[in-house]
Amino acid sequence: MSKIIAINAGSSSLKFKLFEMNTEQVLAQGLFDRIGLAQGAIKIKYGADEEFKTNEEIKDHSYAVKRLLGLMLNLEIIHEFSEIKGVGHRVVAGGEYFKRSVAINSKVIRKINSLAEYAPIHNPANLMGIKAFKNILPTATAVAVFDTSFHQTMPKENYIFSVPYEWYQKYGVRRYGAHGTSHRYVADVAASMLKRPLKELKLISCHLGAGASICAIKNGKSFDTSMGFTPLTGITMATRSGDTDVAMIAFMMQKLDMHSMPEAIYDLNKKSGLLGISGVSSDMRDVMEESTTNFRAQLAVDIFVKDIVKYIGSYTAEMGGVDGIIFTAGIGENSAEIRSAVLKRLSYMGIEVDEEKNLLRGENIVISTSSSKVKAFVIPTDEELMIARDVDKIMKKKNVKSAKLV
Ligand code: AMP
């Protein structure tokens, strides 16, 4: 029996999923929220259908990890800490250095720290999680899984921006992308559903959540993706603008009497997207509900759909075709209406939606007709399972021993 825990540590939260790796069964999952703030919240689901919930102060990540492992013993999810053989940590920015998941040692820690300028909020939080687990589970193998590493296979023409080349050479400015673990996971599942080797396929994965990105996956490798140097670019999102004209920012800074660039970028990150266009909400459900009576809400939905259609069209052209289109994450998994609106506009590619199947709920469904030239899928993403699989693979492949951190 080998238990592996997948960790996603944010600046004030820590999400986890504990797997029994032989069967990939989820033994427990949960969230420690509002770490370092008044009124922290803990929620753990475990067993057949049990739930533990409490509100209490969670002073820092180290305390959260101690409390989590203590609760796992109390709730009899585990009987001793040593049952957890591996810990997989999501790390947001891996730069060009981390091209795949790696066993964590002191050098890896230093490198993640040095890449913090690319993800100033996330990488330090990820490191807090790594260190907290290392203190309590010193013998478990710790592995870092990067959001960016899947996209390291993109050809240069797809990651170099059309700006002075020295910006890339001196400062590492390029397209890094995001949601790599999710795109990688759903592509694997789509290939097995198609019963064809991933290496032979051209897929387009649409991760449509509050953050949203589209990824062209050619022969199993990320070929192009819509997020850029930061997660601000690409399609319109819950509160992020997606692609826009940077010269407009200088104009608006003058108009709004803004004195710093971060102030303007804040508006593009937090006040734009569905929220900015509709003025209603950043939540697609609210926006869709208002759309029949509010033209701005309808416009937000229309722009969201158009952006997806535009990226799918351009990625199909870039790859020279497409075998499958995958929908995943909150909107992609739950909104039959958005999926249908996107796919209908792609009928020129020979895509036919099976509207009955599109309404089905559940795991891994093909929603195109049998005669459709391109298959369309709904595949619930599972980044945590992908993280746990990477830990398992690294533990088996190299017989990696847990490294001491200095
Ligand atoms: P995520 O970031 O993956 O959790 O996705 C969050 C987004 O999914 C929010 O915008 C939700 O409104 C959206 N969402 C969840 N369920 C639905 C649904 N049934 N219809 C439309 N959007 C949904």
Side-chain angles (χ1 to χ4, degrees):
M1 302 273 268
S2 168
K3 294 189 176 69
I4 291 178
I5 191 164
I7 301 298
N8 183 351
S11 55
S12 62
S13 68
L14 189 142
K15 277 190 223 151
F16 75 92
K17 235 182 203 183
L18 178 72
F19 293 91
E20 172 47 61
M21 222 44 223
N22 298 339
T23 54
E24 295 190 339
Q25 182 197 349
V26 178
L27 301 174
Q29 58 185 310
L31 170 69
F32 282 59
D33 207 5
R34 296 201 292 275
I35 298 174
L37 304 170
Q39 272 279 310
I42 303 174
K43 197 168 159 183
I44 300 177
K45 284 188 179 167
Y46 64 104
D49 203 10
E50 306 198 64
E51 191 171 79
F52 172 87
K53 255 168 128 175
T54 182
N55 288 316
E56 63 183 48
E57 192 193 346
I58 312 166
K59 69 176 170 22
D60 54 27
H61 284 73
S62 187
Y63 176 84
V65 173
K66 248 185 242 159
R67 182 83 172 109
L68 165 60
L69 291 165
L71 280 168
M72 282 199 182
L73 289 177
N74 293 345
L75 300 171
E76 297 184 355
I77 297 165
I78 56 172
H79 298 100
E80 45 191 84
F81 290 167
S82 61
E83 288 172 33
I84 302 176
K85 305 285 186 219
V87 187
H89 297 271
R90 172 192 180 217
V91 179
V92 166
E96 288 195 320
Y97 187 81
F98 293 109
K99 299 198 184 303
R100 58 191 63 85
S101 303
V102 291
I104 297 172
N105 55 29
S106 300
K107 192 174 158 205
V108 169
I109 297 264
R110 283 194 292 276
K111 201 68 205 173
I112 293 172
N113 199 27
S114 75
L115 291 165
E117 65 174 342
Y118 295 141
I121 296 168
H122 290 99
N123 272 29
N126 303 152
L127 279 175
M128 281 194 276
I130 290 172
K131 286 176 183 165
F133 268 95
K134 200 72 203 171
N135 283 337
I136 305 184
L137 299 179
T139 57
T141 301
V143 168
V145 179
F146 302 88
D147 278 13
T148 48
S149 47
F150 182 56
H151 302 300
Q152 282 296 302
T153 51
M154 284 190 286
K156 215 163 191 144
E157 70 201 56
N158 291 346
Y159 72 74
I160 292 293
F161 292 126
S162 179
V163 293
Y165 195 71
E166 297 74 31
W167 292 13
Y168 166 63
Q169 289 174 307
K170 283 192 190 159
Y171 307 108
V173 166
R174 51 160 284 175
R175 181 184 307 284
Y176 287 107
H179 295 143
T181 312
S182 173
H183 292 305
R184 183 158 62 100
Y185 174 79
V186 296
D188 269 0
V189 176
S192 61
M193 288 170 77
L194 282 168
K195 296 193 176 62
R196 286 180 60 190
L198 186 56
K199 280 188 175 163
E200 288 175 7
L201 293 171
K202 292 170 183 161
L203 299 170
I204 297 176
S205 157
C206 307
H207 179 112
L208 311 177
S213 72
I214 316 272
C215 184
I217 302 161
K218 191 176 176 186
N219 307 329
K221 294 178 177 169
S222 173
F223 184 72
D224 204 350
T225 194
S226 60
M227 282 181 169
F229 179 63
T230 73
L232 183 52
T233 65
I235 67 170
T236 197
M237 300 174 224
T239 61
R240 294 184 206 138
S241 63
D243 298 332
T244 190
D245 178 350
V246 286
M248 167 196 70
I249 301 166
F251 176 82
M252 283 312 298
M253 282 174 72
Q254 245 183 357
K255 293 284 175 205
L256 299 176
D257 201 22
M258 285 178 175
H259 299 289
S260 73
M261 196 67 181
E263 235 182 303
I265 299 287
Y266 180 89
D267 281 7
L268 293 183
N269 266 312
K270 302 281 184 191
K271 296 186 186 172
S272 301
L274 298 177
L275 175 66
I277 303 163
S278 71
V280 169
S281 168
S282 60
D283 191 304
M284 183 56 105
R285 281 165 295 200
D286 302 337
V287 178
M288 289 174 83
E289 213 174 290
E290 287 281 309
S291 62
T292 47
T293 51
N294 178 332
F295 92 92
R296 278 176 55 186
Q298 183 61 54
L299 183 62
V301 176
D302 292 345
I303 291 176
F304 186 75
V305 169
K306 176 270 299 176
D307 278 356
I308 301 167
V309 168
K310 186 164 117 178
Y311 267 96
I312 291 176
S314 86
Y315 287 165
T316 303
E318 274 185 45
M319 291 195 290
V322 62
D323 299 298
I325 294 171
I326 307 160
F327 292 91
T328 193
I331 303 170
E333 290 167 29
N334 295 302
S335 179
E337 216 174 314
I338 297 286
R339 291 192 301 259
S340 174
V342 169
L343 292 174
K344 274 188 189 140
R345 288 183 61 176
L346 298 173
S347 60
Y348 72 92
M349 289 180 174
I351 296 184
E352 292 167 8
V353 197
D354 182 325
E355 293 295 355
E356 270 175 36
K357 284 190 189 151
N358 188 33
L359 289 174
L360 294 176
R361 291 197 156 258
E363 297 279 294
N364 308 340
I365 305 167
V366 176
I367 56 167
S368 48
T369 62
S370 54
S371 56
S372 179
K373 290 213 176 87
V374 178
K375 296 282 169 234
F377 304 88
V378 182
I379 300 174
T381 193
D382 197 339
E383 287 156 291
E384 294 81 7
L385 178 58
M386 200 78 222
I387 290 172
R389 281 180 183 165
D390 279 6
V391 178
D392 193 43
K393 232 184 267 169
I394 285 181
M395 283 168 65
K396 281 181 181 146
K397 197 161 74 184
K398 294 191 179 152
N399 198 15
V400 183
K401 291 273 176 295
S402 163
K404 266 206 174 119
L405 305 183
V406 285

